Amino acid sequence: MTEPISIDIWSDIACPWCYIGKRNLEKGLEAVAADEDAPQVTVTFHSFELSPDTPVDFHGDEVDFLAGHKGMPREQVEQMLANVTNVAADAGLQYRFDLLQHTNTVKAHELLHFAKAEGRQHEMEERLMSAYFTEGKHVGRIDDLVALAAEVGLDADRARAALESEQYLPDVRRDQAQARAYGIQGVPFFVVDGQYGISGAQPPAAFENVIRDLWSQRADAVEA
């Protein structure tokens, strides 16, 4: 049996391009799954904080945050968000920056590691990104995160205990250290089989091509 192709994704649930990249990867995986010799792929998410100095309760909207954080004129920020919203729509996502509650994401990353240990990382990643970008939910406070964890079938009491004790904070820090070791400075960043890096929210075809090429190489190696 050929070993599955591994795809490790460094992302932040508060990164708009990460959600778009996630959706494009999923479309690419769906396409190759229809191949006669469908590649086997495992996907793992890793923590990356875009703005670790952000308070849990930020007073202001996304325009306020980006204008202050990046020093950009508000009109330029509004134009940028409109562009991202259009790109997201092409990926099938309905972004609502008017509802978005900017927050610190370290607790969300801790929750993702708890979910990974429980076999629900993918469901939790999707729920957090949807809550943040399309529903205007708060994803920085423990109570709100526990409620979202319960929605994907995780035990609420155990999720709360993990967050309050910071049980998975070392895992978050290890992911961030690995990102630095790889030289990752922006997300999303996809590491395929530990050797190929794909930066940014690439179209589905980009993922299809890399996966098919790798799978073909493995098949040739097995036959040789």
Side-chain angles (χ1 to χ4, degrees):
M1 291 293 291
T2 306
E3 284 291 314
I5 295 169
S6 66
I7 300 180
D8 292 277
I9 308 171
W10 271 262
S11 67
D12 192 346
I13 61 100
C15 161
W17 294 105
C18 292
Y19 200 7
I20 294 168
K22 175 179 179 296
R23 199 54 97 239
N24 287 347
L25 170 63
E26 290 166 352
K27 290 177 180 177
L29 292 175
E30 184 179 348
V32 300
D35 291 358
E36 183 176 351
D37 179 23
Q40 301 300 305
V41 182
T42 61
V43 178
T44 304
F45 291 94
H46 298 274
S47 302
F48 191 102
E49 289 180 272
L50 283 173
S51 304
D53 57 344
T54 304
V56 171
D57 291 300
F58 176 80
H59 300 291
D61 60 17
E62 184 71 353
V63 177
D64 294 324
F65 175 79
L66 289 174
H69 188 69
K70 295 183 177 295
M72 298 165 58
R74 292 182 65 86
E75 296 77 13
Q76 186 179 350
V77 173
E78 290 169 353
Q79 184 177 13
M80 182 178 70
L81 293 180
N83 175 60
V84 174
T85 300
N86 289 334
V87 176
D90 290 339
L93 301 168
Q94 302 301 314
Y95 280 7
R96 292 294 304 272
F97 286 110
D98 57 321
L99 301 177
L100 188 148
Q101 298 187 63
H102 205 84
T103 187
N104 189 289
T105 60
V106 69
K107 284 294 177 190
H109 286 296
E110 290 178 41
L111 179 59
L112 284 168
H113 278 281
F114 169 73
K116 179 183 177 182
E118 300 291 313
R120 296 285 179 94
Q121 188 193 44
H122 288 209
E123 295 91 335
M124 195 74 255
E125 183 87 19
E126 177 65 28
R127 188 68 196 96
L128 285 167
M129 287 181 158
S130 176
Y132 186 73
F133 283 110
T134 73
E135 302 167 43
K137 291 182 179 292
H138 202 294
V139 298
R141 297 184 296 242
I142 289 178
D143 286 351
D144 300 277
L145 290 169
V146 169
L148 292 171
E151 287 184 23
V152 301
L154 293 168
D155 183 273
D157 291 337
R158 295 182 60 233
R160 181 180 297 280
L163 293 175
E164 290 179 346
S165 67
E166 298 185 342
Q167 178 182 353
Y168 290 94
L169 183 58
D171 295 282
V172 175
R173 299 305 183 218
R174 275 191 287 272
D175 278 354
Q176 293 169 329
Q178 183 62 64
R180 289 191 294 273
Y182 278 144
I184 298 171
Q185 296 180 323
V187 288
F189 196 92
F190 304 81
V191 176
V192 185
D193 263 2
Q195 54 185 323
Y196 301 103
I198 300 175
S199 179
Q202 299 296 326
F207 295 109
E208 291 178 44
N209 293 338
V210 170
I211 293 168
R212 286 190 174 116
D213 285 348
L214 275 173
W215 196 248
S216 176
Q217 291 172 24
R218 290 193 179 189
D220 291 342
V222 169
E223 291 175 3

